Amino acid sequence: MLVIGGSAGGVAAALQCARSKVKTILAVKDTAFGDFTGNGMATIEANRNLPSGIWGEFRKYIHDLYKNTPGYDTAYNAALPFEPDKAASILKNLADTTKNLTVYTNAPFTGIKKDGDKWEVNITESGQTVKIVARVVVDATENGDVVQKAGAQSAAGFDNTKDNSQSKAYRTSIASGAALPGQQYSDANGPKNNYPPYPAYYIPTSSVLVNGVDNLLVTEKALTGNKGIQYLPLQLTLGQGVGAIAAYCAFFKTTTKNLKVRIIQGELLDFKAYLLPFADIPQKDRDWRAIQQVCETGLLRGVQRVTGNNEQFLFMPDSLVSTAEVQPVLTEIYTRAFLWFGKEKPGEKFTLGNLLSFISDYTLTDPIVLKARIQKEWKALYKFEPYFDLNRAVTRREFAVLANKFLNPFARTVDLNGAMVN
């Protein structure tokens, strides 16, 4: 895999692809990593508290660098100030020390053409043209120079200032985060200059694919607007997602026409990247992965909370599950679900008994055996706090954990629009 461009997104894509055990080249036109500019201290205000994957790693390096500096606040929710040259050095060091990753600096890109199922790319190094043959190419340039040279068009990207809650593309998320304070958006009354009405966002797989061309991906061109320092968390999380897609294509010797979204997302979860930006379910939570996976299917949805300048996207693990919430997606995923709902007719609240009954019906497990097993494991294995009672409403945490283990909805294949594939 070849990444062209030393933007933060490009470095993250190269890191993820190499860590996914794919031989990777990062070609940078000069010696700059991350396109950091300016003197003095830069401060990340937005999206800083979600330690997703490579962004979380970068944030930890910054904290470690400055933790002994008088007055520097390393609290979880503190702003993240740093010197731009130090940030660039961190990205460069990560690239230089990652196995399977070769870095070319002062190596501008000059040309690209398709040769069978590979890309043939020319870069210049020390005045000489170097030809690189790669199965997958990532355009990490600011203006999409590689896409233009290839005679292609980037995807439209994704606008997180709009209400995308009715789209099922969240099921294909490769990155997520929170909107920027002061980011401009528009509504029926014209432009606004504060939080958009839908502050949490995800970025779907399709937004980084290049239209009509296989195995050419973008990082920076998937983002709209001027990408200042506040976009750094988004650039790193998006780049990591792009790297996982590229690694999938290279590792399985396939193309972007044949992406298996759930395999790509599983790789991202392995590397602690958030698919959905739940502020109340940190990575150290024992059920973090189960909740991420179940919510990616749409069985449970997050809730937006905005108070003044504080925005959060919450899972609310102790809230109770309603039948209206889970019935549509259970019916969409499991072919026999409509028969179960017709027979059992659960009430307004979905009870623990309802959930075990559904699991028993789907897995063909004797209900008495299933009940005895889960009751035995209730506290010992699952560490659930509420008492075991089949008649009470099931909590969102309990539903997510048990559904993930016994129903495995995340295993269902989805297309790039988020529709279930039979």
Side-chain angles (χ1 to χ4, degrees), residues 11-80:
V11 175
L15 291 173
Q16 180 57 54
C17 197
R19 290 171 177 179
S20 293
K21 298 181 173 57
V22 170
K23 290 183 178 180
T24 305
I25 293 174
L26 172 62
V28 183
K29 68 179 179 180
D30 44 35
T31 59
F33 285 76
D35 297 330
F36 296 103
T37 59
N39 298 315
M41 299 292 282
T43 302
I44 301 289
E45 297 282 355
N47 212 7
R48 63 185 184 270
N49 294 333
L50 194 74
S52 181
I54 292 173
W55 160 247
E57 186 179 352
F58 173 88
R59 191 182 74 162
K60 184 178 185 303
Y61 275 113
I62 291 293
H63 280 168
D64 290 345
L65 181 65
Y66 291 102
K67 64 183 178 182
N68 294 322
T69 301
Y72 193 90
D73 190 352
T74 59
Y76 177 80
N77 61 348
L80 190 74

Side-chain angles (χ1 to χ4, degrees), residues 9 86 95 187 229 260 321 346 362 371-372:
K86 297 292 195 300
D187 63 14
I229 194 67
K260 301 294 185 185
V321 175
Y362 174 72
K371 176 190 172 184

